[in-house]
Amino acid sequence: KPGPGGVPGSLQPHQDRELRVAVEAEILDGMKKRAIVTLEQPEGSTFSILCDEGSYLAGEDTAPPPLSYFSAGIAF
């Protein structure tokens, strides 16, 4: 369904938005790491991201490697 200005969905030809994200990262055991991400503006949601490396880099392969998050971010 077209939104204002005939643009589909919530997309507008021009939108002023503020985005604030806070990230706290910590090293766990081995090659594991955790990041706590808080979207402060506009919604205030918080989630955590875990990463690990495969055995080829001395990890345990218990979570996606950091590069996979980066690659997915580009795709989105």
Side-chain angles (χ1 to χ4, degrees), residues 3-69:
V7 180
S10 64
L11 297 176
Q12 303 297 313
H14 174 72
Q15 293 176 334
D16 289 329
R17 292 195 177 185
E18 180 177 353
L19 176 65
R20 284 186 300 192
V21 178
V23 178
E24 291 183 40
E26 64 180 321
I27 297 171
L28 305 175
D29 55 306
M31 296 295 288
K32 297 175 191 159
K33 296 155 198 88
R34 174 177 39 224
I36 308 298
V37 181
T38 302
L39 179 59
E40 295 177 342
Q41 181 70 16
E43 297 183 11
S45 60
T46 299
F47 58 93
S48 64
I49 298 172
L50 297 172
C51 69
D52 193 4
E53 296 288 0
S55 59
Y56 61 95
L57 289 175
E60 296 178 15
D61 201 22
T62 61
L67 189 56
S68 66
Y69 288 107

